[in-house]
Amino acid sequence: MSLTIHGLGTALPPHRIAQGDAAAIAAEVALPNQVLSASQRRLLDTLHRRSGVATRHSVLLEPTGTESCHQQSFFGATSPGTAERMRRYAQEAPTLALRAVLAALDQAQLPPERITHLITVSCTGFQAPGVDLALMTALPLPTDVARTHVGFMGCHGALNGLRVAAGFTGADPEACVLLCAVELCSLHLQYGWEAERIVANSLFADGAAALVACGKEPEAESPSAPRLRRLIASGSLLVPDSTEAMSWAIEDHGFAMGLSPRVPDLIAEHLRPWLTGWLAVHQLTLAAIGSWAVHPGGPRILSAVTEALGLDPLLIEPSRSVLRDCGNMSSPTLLFILERLRRSGARGPCLAMAFGPGLCVEVALLA
């Protein structure tokens, strides 16, 4: 595959919430206008404590003058409808996306007019004109930039976008692609006492990440240039009989996540046989992978991957640290992990992996 990452940038909303304060908000919406029993409150607190998340960022948080910001007024006694949530998406997503894009362009040291293709990735909001046109206007980008949107593909959306980018750079060595993934997961906090939704409420957060990728290597490569720049290959697996294991549906009150407790078992059963075969096609083994960027769908998913592949838990620490510091931001999360790996000088090859509705597994091999 002819694709080299020249720049990578990330962005978070300005305010964050500690997981203990998030549990208090979750208690308010779990059973609106009712007082939770002591056992229900203990369960909520336990789920939040075991989520692997310490802090999360959200566009809905309002300043309180304290480091742990927990004030918000969007969610009240009644659940906002999908239209109201989408209005907030239209208001907030372009600004967050632009911050990530500017960081990526700055690292790439490329002007906006060099961009030939724009790929946007999101599964938490829809609008037209959308984030893509907002970015074109704000930067600005050339009016003849080719636009592609990767929508509603869930947590592995950035890997789907990277595959599309490789198609563009492979077809035209002069192509320069700007990819931006932005998700406002906190807009979809779900009301009610349903186990799968309570778990989702304890994990998801907001963030944006962007990368600039071209078909050619830079003319003058700096000795300090980040590693893990070249995309070598990508792969995909639809796990058999897993349709109900993970879902993402548009409902009257936002988008609802379905996350079955079967997911770790499905990973344990199917991941290793498929991945070892896929790596063998590329003359590699599991032991040959130098670093791992595994999407942290939750602590049980990370544990299932670690155990299924027989990995040293230290190899998954970058994923756990992003989950701890930022929560599960859906599609941008993998790029946050890749940024940390590049910044630390992690060795390649790197195997990036994410899971999404289907149940689907997406992987990308970088060096």
Side-chain angles (χ1 to χ4, degrees):
M1 291 181 131
S2 180
L3 182 145
T4 301
I5 298 172
H6 289 232
L8 178 60
T10 60
L12 293 165
H15 302 303
R16 64 179 181 173
I17 187 168
Q19 194 69 329
D21 293 329
I25 294 176
E28 293 173 3
V29 304
L31 292 174
N33 303 312
Q34 296 183 43
V35 178
L36 296 183
S37 68
S39 61
Q40 288 173 324
R41 187 56 193 257
R42 281 196 301 272
L43 177 59
L44 266 182
D45 290 343
T46 299
L47 288 173
H48 280 73
R49 189 172 59 253
R50 293 179 178 176
S51 66
V53 179
T55 58
R56 289 182 279 171
H57 294 73
S58 168
V59 297
L60 301 176
L61 292 170
E62 300 151 2
T64 62
T66 63
E67 178 65 19
S68 177
C69 180
H70 64 272
Q71 178 177 317
Q72 68 84 34
S73 56
F74 187 77
F75 296 108
T78 59
S79 176
T82 300
E84 187 176 353
R85 299 180 194 226
M86 290 302 93
R87 280 192 292 270
R88 193 63 181 263
Y89 178 91
Q91 175 185 336
E92 304 282 359
T95 302
L96 190 60
L98 179 61
R99 286 176 49 214
V101 164
L102 289 173
L105 286 169
D106 180 65
Q107 187 180 101
Q109 290 295 289
L110 288 173
E113 55 265 28
R114 177 67 180 85
I115 301 300
T116 59
H117 296 74
L118 172 62
I119 301 171
T120 49
V121 180
S122 190
C123 69
T124 51
F126 294 99
Q127 62 175 129
V131 172
D132 53 350
L133 293 183
L135 290 174
M136 288 185 67
T137 302
L139 288 169
L141 294 178
T143 56
D144 60 351
V145 160
R147 293 175 295 120
T148 303
H149 182 63
V150 177
F152 222 63
M153 295 203 77
C155 293
H156 57 54
L159 294 182
N160 301 101
L162 198 59
R163 183 182 297 130
V164 174
F168 291 143
T169 58
D172 179 6
E174 298 299 322
C176 190
V177 182
L178 172 60
L179 184 154
C180 180
V182 57
E183 305 288 9
L184 306 185
C185 303
S186 68
L187 287 177
H188 301 291
L189 188 75
Q190 292 295 301
Y191 285 50
W193 192 262
E194 294 183 32
E196 290 185 12
R197 296 187 178 189
I198 291 172
V199 170
N201 286 349
S202 73
L203 289 169
F204 284 96
D206 303 348
L211 62 81
V212 177
C214 302
K216 291 182 176 179
E217 293 276 358
E219 292 182 4
E221 182 74 282
S222 168
S224 61
R227 298 185 184 183
L228 312 183
R229 295 165 57 82
R230 292 186 300 112
L231 178 65
I232 306 301
S234 65
S236 183
L237 169 70
L238 173 61
V239 176
D241 302 318
S242 64
T243 305
E244 304 301 321
M246 190 181 291
S247 62
W248 186 230
I250 300 174
E251 297 188 353
D252 292 340
H253 295 275
F255 303 171
M257 179 73 184
L259 187 61
S260 168
R262 293 180 56 225
V263 171
D265 293 336
L266 289 168
I267 291 172
E269 181 180 355
H270 296 281
L271 181 60
R272 186 183 184 105
W274 171 75
L275 186 58
T276 53
W278 184 81
L279 286 172
V281 172
H282 301 285
Q283 291 77 53
L284 289 170
T285 63
L286 290 171
I289 301 301
S291 54
W292 294 79
V294 180
H295 183 273
R300 288 190 64 210
I301 290 178
L302 289 178
S303 295
V305 171
T306 304
E307 293 168 10
L309 301 181
L311 301 180
D312 183 334
L314 287 176
L315 291 171
I316 305 297
E317 182 54 32
S319 298
R320 292 194 185 277
S321 69
V322 168
L323 179 65
R324 180 178 62 248
D325 298 342
C326 306
N328 181 346
M329 299 167 285
S330 192
S331 65
T333 312
L334 262 186
L335 299 183
F336 274 74
I337 299 168
L338 185 59
E339 180 193 44
R340 292 195 180 191
L341 288 170
R342 283 158 54 94
R343 199 166 58 227
S344 68
R347 67 187 183 91
C350 173
L351 199 289
M353 177 190 305
F355 306 89
L359 178 72
C360 287
V361 185
E362 294 285 347
V363 296
L365 188 64
L366 300 108

